[in-house]
Amino acid sequence: MNPDALRGHMDALLLSVLEREPLHGYAIIEALQERSGGALSVPTGTVYPALRRLERIGYLSSEWATVGGRRRRTYRLTESGRRQLEGERSAWREFTGVIGSVLRAEASGPA
Amino acid sequence: MNPDALRGHMDALLLSVLEREPLHGYAIIEALQERSGGALSVPTGTVYPALRRLERIGYLSSEWATVGGRRRRTYRLTESGRRQLEGERSAWREFTGVIGSVLRAEASGPA
DNA sequence: TATCTACATATAGACAGCCTACATGTAGAC
DNA sequence: GTCTACATGTAGGCTGTCTATATGTAGATA
């Protein structure tokens, strides 16, 4: 998967994976991998800064927890983040529709 | 349309629009707009450098023409570009499949 | 005990590509 | 004379993803 292709869609992925339940960064990476059938390997250097950015914007909130001696920062969707996720979903549908319409235009041409 | 979303898909759009026939930059911009139902307004500062990049890579070739007193640089797909377009199309299908699978995962969760 | 792997977070700096803004020029309409 | 459409191009900004690196715990295994 070309990294550049993810540009602008990372937010949607992260918000989406947090829709069901709060998760910490490491678990988010695993969840993305799992949900994508192994196709998405998002590096930590992408995920952690992105989560902080989303928190700064107000789409996520976080709190520290210690589990088994290890420190985790658990992120949770805010109300604003939940609304944003809806927006991301419809933006995704529009995006795929638009690009798809260009890519699918038959080589034979219109009437 | 969020500009960042186009990242990494510009090549596919440009190659696709040139599949049918050679076009010059200005006409490519109009074709993108038309094929997308008006949704895609790609600025010249994006298109012209991208076309040059694609030519440098070898996916496009170009030649100057003068029509009605105006100079045009007409771009045409090379054989390599045609193969690349096939690759871009399958990459697009994979991309939408992967992102879609993450975004569509039901909030109710698996068994 | 030492070492390795999985778990867990974080930052600095590189990199790439899309964008805004600007520059330049012709043709034709009004 | 001015305005719009046509037509190409570059410089520099911006931003987000990536690579590489740093740090540290827990548990398995030799």
Side-chain angles (χ1 to χ4, degrees):
Chain A
M1 173 88 60
N2 167 28
D4 258 334
L6 264 336
R7 275 268 194 158
H9 305 291
M10 206 55 232
D11 294 9
L13 293 176
L14 294 175
L15 296 178
S16 178
V17 100
L18 286 171
E19 186 181 24
R20 236 187 264 178
E21 53 181 348
L23 290 172
H24 61 287
Y26 194 89
I28 288 171
I29 291 171
E30 289 181 320
L32 285 173
Q33 188 123 43
E34 191 194 336
R35 288 207 200 182
S36 66
L40 271 182
S41 289
V42 190
T44 64
T46 295
V47 168
Y48 290 113
L51 289 170
R52 282 163 162 278
R53 179 170 51 80
L54 291 173
E55 182 173 25
R56 200 175 60 244
I57 299 171
Y59 297 156
L60 300 179
S61 63
S62 73
E63 53 185 282
W64 284 100
T66 300
V67 177
R70 290 181 183 109
R71 278 165 68 64
R72 296 175 172 175
R73 193 205 281 264
T74 302
Y75 288 92
R76 136 186 355 258
L77 273 188
T78 63
E79 261 319 301
S80 166
R82 222 165 268 279
R83 281 193 301 276
Q84 179 63 16
L85 175 56
E86 287 316 302
E88 296 281 355
R89 282 216 172 93
S90 69
W92 170 253
R93 279 189 293 269
E94 193 207 338
F95 171 72
T96 54
V98 167
I99 306 297
S101 70
V102 174
L103 292 193
R104 277 192 310 273
E106 325 94 275
S108 47
Chain B
M1 174 86 61
N2 168 26
D4 257 335
L6 264 336
R7 276 269 195 156
H9 305 292
M10 210 50 233
D11 293 9
L13 293 175
L14 294 175
L15 296 178
S16 177
V17 100
L18 287 170
E19 186 180 23
R20 234 186 266 177
E21 53 180 350
L23 290 171
H24 61 287
Y26 194 89
I28 288 170
I29 291 171
E30 289 181 320
L32 285 173
Q33 188 123 40
E34 191 193 336
R35 289 206 200 181
S36 66
L40 270 182
S41 291
V42 190
T44 64
T46 295
V47 169
Y48 289 114
L51 289 171
R52 284 162 161 279
R53 179 170 51 79
L54 291 174
E55 183 173 23
R56 200 175 58 243
I57 300 171
Y59 296 155
L60 300 179
S61 63
S62 74
E63 52 185 282
W64 284 98
T66 301
V67 177
R70 289 181 184 111
R71 279 165 67 63
R72 295 174 173 176
R73 194 205 282 264
T74 302
Y75 288 91
R76 131 184 2 254
L77 273 189
T78 62
E79 262 319 301
S80 166
R82 221 165 268 280
R83 281 193 300 275
Q84 179 63 15
L85 174 55
E86 287 317 302
E88 295 282 355
R89 282 215 172 93
S90 69
W92 170 254
R93 279 189 293 270
E94 193 206 337
F95 172 72
T96 54
V98 166
I99 306 297
S101 71
V102 174
L103 292 193
R104 276 193 311 272
E106 324 93 276
S108 47

